[in-house]
Amino acid sequence: MHDDLIARAKAWLAEDPDTETRDELAELIDAGDVTELSARFSGTLQFGTAGLRGELGAGPMRMNRSVVIRAAAGLAAYLKKNEPSQREGRAGLVVIGYDARHKSADFARDTAAVMTGAGLRAAVLPRPLPTPVLAFAIRHLGAVAGVEVTASHNPPRDNGYKVYLGDGSQIVPPADAEIAAEIDAIASLHDVPRPDAGWEILDDSVLEAYLARTDAVLAPDSPRTARTVYTAMHGVGKDVFLSAFARAGFPEPVLVAEQAGPDPDFPTVAFPNPEEPGAMDLAFAQARATDPDLIIANDPDADRCAVAVKDGADWRMLRGDEVGALLGAHLVRRGATGVFAESIVSSSLLSRIAEKAGLPYEETLTGFKWIARVEGLRYGYEEALGYCVDPEGVRDKDGITAALLITELASVLKEEGRTLLDLLDDLAVEHGLHATDQLSVRVEDLSVIADAMRRLREQPPTELAGLAITRAEDLTRGTDRLPPTDGLRYTLDGARVIVRPSGTEPKLKCYLEVVVPVAAHAGLPAAHAHAAKLLTALKRDLSTAAGL
């Protein structure tokens, strides 16, 4: 076993094109560090519907140039078999974007070299830019596929590889499995041609076209008066965000200076995710000093948008579901037509808003790879701060255009002497108070998640928070509207719970919603108190049932 492990490590080392990971792996081999080598050679980083994501380092279980070259070669082989342009003898275009994380530029360049070597055309965005710019570029340039090198809001030690096909949306089954099979078929990196040149570095015209497209997001004569504090969370959003806001005519956002520029080490936050405790503290401090109308945060690749508002004497983050409902209500008020969509883990309030407006509504599996594929989509959102407000431009979540739209709404309300919280209150009275929360358990050992899911399947709860479970669904079997996925859904009298493993992080996620009828605005404080009590009890009882 020991000899086999060392032999596999040495074989990997012989092919590794990166001096940094070569040195790292050679050191582990020389030290005979069986524990660390076993962790890195226990399998391969699995390519799935999120592409690849993992910790940087040497070996097949880490993100590195060898893994990325194999992934790119597998994608190229898949495209050559499946893209009509290839079958017609035309070289399809693959457009490649990247963020400012460690190794992102290297991974983008390797991908361009592999695509070129495979007989495809490759074009790389001119510098680190938001993921939505890449998603836009695919459709704008008529590409057959796109790759974004990013780990989004993961910890600094991670990187990732997100794949889109020519419709501008992320891959879904069976494409993920077919690409994975092509990756597995690559025997040696020496079999993958990687020329030193031959691909295109795009100029700023794609970015200019993206910014021009943002004009379509706002109503032509809407007020543009709301003042914002903005944080890029050490990511790549700042310049595009500021350009979009200047173009729209909003007041210049006040920056959180400590987090404004790209920094792959994310020095001011434990996790560069606006939802994580402490991540918004600097933004709150800036808002207390400058008293804006709202705070906006992007995650590091700027595909997500977080919003905070003044609530009483201090500031608080709005939940993703609250922003999702506000944007939906704003689009309805503006006369939007088309399908409103959200994933199953998001609040059911959007369905009520769409129903009252007489608009079609669809529910999908978790992830924008599913939401973006809804036919006739006009607006889609997911509770994890993801909003698609311009599906004709970007068929993915877009933190820049979502920020424009929420700031337009804040401006409209400001002209009326009202706030986002006032509109949320109106929606609660009109449709019932839809209160959501999440029980999210981050683990070191993935078996904890498997054990919790198994326990819930073998010993399903019959009630939670004193509410009887009226329907329990194991989503691995699929439903009449949804394909199979690893998850459980419980419908209760006035509540809903969904449990699923995260697709991108070592987390078990439990999504909770309670709906409390509200007859009038005077009843809101009691409804909020009752909802909070129910959500606390749901968390407690679900934790017990799952053995967490």
Side-chain angles (χ1 to χ4, degrees):
M1 171 67 183
H2 173 269
D3 290 344
D4 176 59
L5 178 63
I6 296 296
R8 282 188 287 131
K10 284 182 174 177
W12 184 273
L13 179 65
E15 289 190 350
D16 192 336
D18 189 326
T19 54
E20 196 174 319
T21 46
R22 281 175 61 82
D23 290 347
E24 180 186 317
L25 186 53
E27 202 171 297
L28 293 173
I29 293 169
D30 291 345
D33 191 336
V34 174
T35 303
E36 188 61 29
L37 287 171
S38 295
R40 291 163 185 252
F41 286 85
S42 60
T44 57
L45 211 54
Q46 289 302 297
F47 187 93
T49 48
L52 294 166
R53 199 175 289 187
E55 187 177 343
L56 289 163
M61 287 296 289
R62 299 285 185 267
M63 280 296 293
N64 51 64
R65 290 182 60 199
S66 297
V67 164
V68 164
I69 290 165
R70 287 175 181 275
L75 173 59
Y78 169 85
L79 292 172
K80 292 185 80 168
K81 284 183 181 176
N82 291 277
E83 276 301 321
S85 61
Q86 292 300 119
R87 293 198 296 271
E88 294 161 10
R90 292 181 289 115
L93 173 68
V94 179
V95 61
I96 301 151
Y98 59 103
D99 66 12
R101 284 178 178 265
H102 293 296
K103 297 287 184 183
S104 286
D106 294 339
F107 295 166
R109 189 167 52 249
D110 282 331
T111 301
V114 170
M115 296 302 162
T116 304
L120 292 149
R121 290 183 296 130
V124 184
L125 293 180
R127 59 186 169 282
L129 286 167
T131 294
V133 177
L134 181 276
F136 168 83
I138 296 164
R139 290 163 67 86
H140 178 69
L141 297 173
V144 297
V147 172
E148 176 71 17
V149 181
T150 181
S152 190
H153 56 276
N154 275 38
R157 65 179 182 270
D158 288 3
N159 212 329
Y161 198 79
K162 190 183 290 189
V163 175
Y164 299 75
L165 292 181
D167 62 355
S169 54
Q170 296 173 49
I171 53 168
V172 295
D176 57 341
E178 291 172 15
I179 295 168
E182 297 289 353
I183 294 169
D184 291 343
I186 295 156
S188 167
L189 287 193
H190 298 311
D191 300 333
V192 181
R194 285 181 291 131
D196 293 330
W199 57 89
E200 180 184 0
I201 304 295
L202 295 165
D203 59 21
D204 276 351
S205 58
V206 168
L207 177 58
E208 291 302 324
Y210 169 83
L211 288 168
R213 177 73 207 179
T214 63
D215 296 346
V217 173
L218 303 176
D221 300 316
S222 62
R224 312 279 167 94
T225 55
R227 295 177 302 108
T228 56
V229 158
Y230 172 71
T231 174
M233 207 65 67
H234 298 295
V236 298
K238 178 191 65 140
D239 291 347
V240 179
F241 183 95
L242 291 178
S243 295
F245 268 60
R247 185 183 180 93
F250 287 113
E252 184 177 354
V254 176
L255 299 178
V256 178
E258 302 94 325
Q259 298 175 333
D263 188 330
D265 294 319
F266 306 104
T268 68
V269 289
F271 292 95
N273 178 353
E275 293 179 294
E276 293 282 351
M280 294 289 285
D281 287 356
L282 288 171
F284 290 155
Q286 182 66 270
R288 292 181 197 113
T290 55
D291 196 32
D293 296 300
L294 69 166
I295 299 170
I296 293 176
N298 286 140
D299 67 338
D301 70 325
D303 63 351
R304 296 168 196 249
C305 175
V307 180
V309 296
K310 199 165 190 180
D311 189 1
D314 208 357
W315 290 80
R316 79 164 175 93
M317 272 267 290
L318 294 179
R319 300 193 70 84
D321 283 319
E322 292 176 311
V323 177
L326 288 168
L327 291 174
H330 181 46
L331 289 170
V332 164
R333 181 174 171 176
R334 276 182 27 183
T337 58
V339 182
F340 278 32
E342 63 182 337
S343 63
I344 57 172
V345 298
S346 306
S347 167
S348 58
L349 177 54
L350 187 69
S351 68
R352 307 274 182 97
I353 292 169
E355 183 182 16
K356 181 152 189 184
L359 292 171
Y361 165 84
E362 289 286 339
E363 192 177 59
T364 74
L365 291 184
T366 311
F368 265 81
K369 57 183 177 279
W370 298 109
I371 295 170
R373 283 181 157 72
V374 169
E375 199 167 329
L377 181 68
R378 174 59 186 88
Y379 168 62
Y381 99 90
E382 189 155 78
E383 56 75 42
L385 312 183
Y387 313 95
C388 176
V389 302
D390 177 29
E392 288 307 304
V394 175
R395 284 215 161 247
D396 197 7
K397 54 188 177 290
D398 183 344
I400 306 292
T401 51
L404 288 170
L405 194 63
I406 198 73
T407 308
E408 177 184 66
L409 173 57
S411 299
V412 170
L413 292 168
K414 185 178 182 179
E415 300 293 297
E416 298 170 354
R418 286 155 38 83
T419 68
L420 296 175
L421 292 179
D422 292 329
L423 181 51
L424 282 172
D425 286 348
D426 292 350
L427 292 173
V429 172
E430 188 174 359
H431 303 289
L433 174 64
H434 289 62
T436 58
D437 203 354
Q438 193 179 124
L439 172 64
S440 182
V441 183
R442 185 180 289 273
V443 302
E444 291 292 327
D445 180 1
L446 290 174
S447 69
V448 173
I449 294 175
D451 290 345
M453 294 298 288
R454 183 171 60 249
R455 178 172 173 146
L456 287 170
R457 286 187 169 107
E458 290 174 356
Q459 304 166 47
T462 55
E463 69 167 40
L464 296 168
L467 303 173
I469 292 175
T470 56
R471 188 178 183 195
E473 298 168 276
D474 186 342
L475 298 176
T476 52
R477 302 188 182 106
T479 72
D480 57 344
R481 304 297 298 273
L482 299 169
T485 187
D486 186 8
L488 300 163
R489 178 164 61 180
Y490 303 114
T491 304
L492 302 89
D493 185 15
R496 183 217 65 200
V497 172
I498 292 175
V499 185
R500 61 179 280 273
S502 169
T504 56
E505 297 177 272
K507 283 182 175 181
L508 181 68
K509 290 188 165 185
C510 311
Y511 304 85
L512 320 172
E513 179 179 41
V514 298
V515 183
V516 181
V518 189
H521 281 76
L524 281 167
H528 278 288
H530 181 54
K533 186 177 172 185
L534 278 176
L535 287 169
T536 300
L538 280 174
K539 276 188 178 182
R540 180 196 63 225
D541 292 357
L542 188 60
S543 291
T544 302
L548 298 169

